[in-house]
Amino acid sequence: MNTLEELLAASAWARDLDDQERDRVFPTVFERPVAAGGYVCRKGEPARHWHGVVDGLLKMSTVSSAGKSATFTGLPAGAWFGEGTLLKNELRKYDLIALRDSRIAHMPCATFRWLLDRSIPFNRFLLDQLNERLGQFIGMCEFDRLLDPDARIARCLATLFNPLLYPGNGPTLRISQEEIGHLAGVSRQRVNQALQQLERDRLLTVEYGGIRIDDLERLRQYGA
DNA sequence: TCATTAAATTGTT
DNA sequence: AACAATTTAATGA
């Protein structure tokens, strides 16, 4: 995934629009770079856009008043996010931070509402996405308290390869072990150990600066 | 195109 | 957290 055009081509909601809708919607969507460590949006801000990840990697997290941070999920290229806040007309509930230099698509709130009011495919997409996310988060509640670090990392990685939420990506993902550590909330050393175990189990292949998934289904189930 | 160097990432302690 | 080894990317001959 490299260009805004490719992101839109890979996104189900955009594919299903008719020509007239496309002409109206696409020109309003623009792209903006975010440097590694930078915020795409902050907890407490009003939402002005719906966002997509053209390229890069984000984490969704919050910081408690005591200063502890919790990461909820990672967002790879192909992800669209922020609809929850737009739909409810609330303030953002999470921080979205770039784990590395990233390029983020912005769809203005007005366009989002226009699609919401007239496009069935767009509504269908949101419904599917919210449903898929719900499944992910319920899975996280389970593994957060029940599973050992290897399994936590396995499932954390599996979520990044959800083809419904993050289309347009192959079986390989450029992600460093340090970045995986940030997402899963474990040390880089522990990530390294876990990846070696998962490779022995033939679930994935460790590459320099990335991983290749060999068995997504078993990765999802790991530790169950 | 190839060799050299710097930077990033990995694997280990 | 620190270290050495490995891989990649960038540079210039």
Side-chain angles (χ1 to χ4, degrees), chain A residues 100-117:
Chain A
R100 59 164 169 269
D101 291 350
S102 301
R103 303 210 311 283
I104 305 304
H106 292 57
M107 176 193 287
C109 182
T111 306
F112 180 87
R113 295 202 169 281
W114 185 82
L115 280 169
L116 196 62
D117 285 342

Side-chain angles (χ1 to χ4, degrees), chain A residues 9-10 19 22 34 43 54 59 61 64 72 74 81 95 107 112 142 158 184 207 210 215:
Chain A
D19 292 342
R22 260 194 217 94
V34 180
K43 188 171 161 185
V54 176
K59 67 170 179 180
S61 60
S64 74
F72 295 119
F81 62 91
D95 291 324
M107 176 193 287
F112 180 87
E142 185 189 355
E207 295 170 354
D215 191 335

Side-chain angles (χ1 to χ4, degrees), chain A residues 59-62 70-75 80-83 93-96 129-145 155 159 162 165-166:
Chain A
K59 67 170 179 180
M60 180 189 291
S61 60
T62 61
T71 297
F72 295 119
T73 187
L75 297 169
W80 288 92
F81 62 91
E83 66 279 352
K93 291 283 197 296
Y94 324 102
D95 291 324
L96 279 140
Q129 165 150 315
L130 290 167
N131 191 33
E132 203 63 31
R133 279 243 196 77
L134 181 61
Q136 263 193 9
F137 278 72
I138 285 178
M140 276 178 53
C141 288
E142 185 189 355
F143 81 64
D144 229 37
R145 43 200 80 178
R155 297 195 179 196
T159 64
N162 183 320
L165 290 177
Y166 319 122

Side-chain angles (χ1 to χ4, degrees), chain A residues 2-5 29-33 54-55 102-106:
Chain A
N2 271 312
T3 66
L4 180 55
E5 287 69 29
V29 181
F30 61 95
E31 182 184 325
R32 182 179 272 289
V54 176
D55 191 44
S102 301
R103 303 210 311 283
I104 305 304
H106 292 57

Side-chain angles (χ1 to χ4, degrees), chain A residues 8 19-20 23 52 67 84 94 100 112 114 189-190 199 213:
Chain A
L8 291 171
D19 292 342
Q20 189 190 352
D23 289 345
Y94 324 102
R100 59 164 169 269
F112 180 87
W114 185 82
Q189 291 93 320
R190 195 61 190 77
E199 188 169 41
I213 300 299

